[in-house]
Each structure stands twice: as structure tokens, then as C-alpha cells.
Amino acid sequence: RLLNDTMYLLQYSLNPDNAIAIFISDQYEFYWNTSAPQLMERMFREYQKFWNESRTEKAQAQNLTPLEAITLASIVEEETNNAAEKPRIAGVYLNRLKKGMKLQADPTVKFALQQFELKRVTTRQTHLESPFNTYHAEGLPPGPICIPSRQSIEAVLNPESHGYLFFCAKGDGSGTHVFAETYKQHQANARRYRKILDFNNIF
């Protein structure tokens, strides 16, 4: 209830869309009788501790606030489990933001639809009007789509520098992606991936 209580969240300069951003992934010790407000207070303190001067400066270097960095990290988190790829994927999204391109991140469509089990996002679904759907809305969503790992946050703060603007799953079971600098290259990669999905009857 507190996470959806607009008036309560104002004291932390948060709202129901971005409140989960203060939950930094880690191990914490709580007593069984910890109240919801006490938990929120502790999480906010941990959030402030996490966003030290060094991390805040790195976020600013990417033209991001800490809340925006967490939001982008949540997309990176949902895009891949491959640790080595996270800085590269973060770099793609940062490149798109700098160019004023829509992020067009499939995980944001799943979140907007609240259909997290989707294995294939269709063109029709990308037309959904939602501030969380980055095919529809420009820029970052209004808040995180999950609680990202520290690894994903660090990827956003220390992204790989490159010219990639697109990426597509390989579809070979490795969980990794192919990257492209041009839309033409990306279209070829996407066609190969769609053929794999079609072959495996994933619609």
C-alpha cells in the first residue's frame, strides 16, 4: 500500500511509478516486527548510501539522474543475463538517448502489458499506448520495470563506448545478442532471429 501511496512517497520525492528504485539489490537484515514504514526508511538510507559522489558523478556524465540510471539499468537487467554484454547493451541505449531515438526495448512492452511470460513481442503489441512502452513513448520510462542487479547499474554507469544503435538476440540458446550500427544491418539480424522463432513455433 505504501508503494502506491502518493502522499506518503512525497517525503522521499518518489511516486508509485518509480518508488521501487530505492530498493538496491543486496542482502539486508531485518527483524520480524519491522514495519512497512521502517523498511522504507531503511531502504531509502541504503539508496542514499549507494549513490555516493563517485556513482552520482558517473550518472551525471551520462546525463542521467540516479533515478534515471536505475530505470535504464532495469531495462538492461531484463535484456540479458550475460554479464559481459551488459555494458554493451547499456551503451546502445545511451547512444539512442543521445540521438533522441526511442529506446524500443521489448521488456518495456512486456511490463506495460503486465505479460512477463511473453517470448515474442509483436508489432501490434508495440503500439500499446503506455508511458512504460518505449516503442510508444520517447525517452526513459517513468520508473524501473524491475529491481536491477548492482551489475546492471554499474553497466549503465560504466558503459561500453561504441557506435551500436541496435541489437537482436542470436536465438541460438546462448542468451547473447548481435549488435549493429545501421538499421539495414539490424534488419538482416532481425530476419534471421524471426526465422528461428518461426521454426520453433514461437509466436
Side-chain angles (χ1 to χ4, degrees):
R1 286 197 298 271
L2 286 186
L3 290 171
N4 288 291
D5 187 331
T6 302
M7 293 304 296
Y8 171 82
L9 293 171
L10 279 176
Q11 65 185 300
Y12 300 116
S13 300
L14 298 169
N15 60 59
D17 284 336
N18 63 24
I20 65 167
I22 66 169
F23 291 84
I24 301 297
S25 179
D26 207 339
Q27 292 183 340
Y28 304 98
E29 185 177 277
F30 290 97
Y31 291 105
W32 68 270
N33 59 349
T34 300
S35 68
Q38 287 173 332
L39 184 141
M40 288 292 289
E41 288 167 16
R42 168 75 183 283
M43 289 295 92
F44 189 67
R45 288 199 304 272
E46 296 291 345
Y47 173 81
Q48 291 177 309
K49 191 189 304 180
F50 178 83
W51 284 104
N52 56 29
E53 186 178 351
S54 174
R55 287 195 179 102
T56 301
E57 286 178 355
K58 286 181 177 181
Q60 289 172 344
Q62 304 302 331
N63 292 316
L64 300 171
T65 66
L67 277 173
E68 288 171 335
I70 293 281
T71 298
L72 182 53
S74 74
I75 297 175
V76 174
E77 180 77 14
E78 290 295 300
E79 286 285 14
T80 184
N81 290 320
N82 186 289
E85 276 196 340
K86 288 185 177 185
R88 182 169 294 183
I89 288 175
V92 171
Y93 285 129
L94 287 166
N95 286 346
R96 293 179 76 93
L97 285 172
K98 287 170 187 172
K99 287 181 174 290
M101 299 171 67
K102 289 181 178 178
L103 295 186
Q104 297 184 324
D106 286 0
T108 66
V109 180
K110 295 179 183 181
F111 183 86
L113 289 166
Q114 293 291 288
Q115 294 180 18
F116 304 104
E117 75 289 346
L118 277 179
K119 292 185 178 6
R120 185 172 189 169
V121 173
T122 66
T123 301
R124 179 178 58 81
Q125 290 165 330
T126 62
H127 293 314
L128 175 71
E129 291 189 14
S130 165
F132 279 94
N133 174 13
T134 56
Y135 280 87
H136 167 73
E138 295 181 359
L140 289 163
I145 60 172
C146 71
I147 296 176
S149 63
R150 286 177 175 239
Q151 204 170 45
S152 292
I153 299 171
E154 293 298 337
V156 169
L157 299 181
N158 303 280
E160 185 177 307
S161 180
H162 53 61
Y164 296 129
L165 292 170
F166 308 92
F167 65 93
C168 178
K170 288 181 180 177
D172 60 357
S174 67
T176 57
H177 300 77
V178 286
F179 295 79
E181 294 187 2
T182 69
Y183 184 57
K184 185 176 181 180
Q185 292 170 336
H186 176 62
Q187 282 182 309
N189 293 335
R191 277 195 297 272
R192 281 193 291 271
Y193 180 55
R194 284 195 293 268
K195 284 182 180 178
I196 293 171
L197 292 180
D198 291 343
F199 180 79
N200 289 293
N201 294 314
I202 298 173
F203 299 103

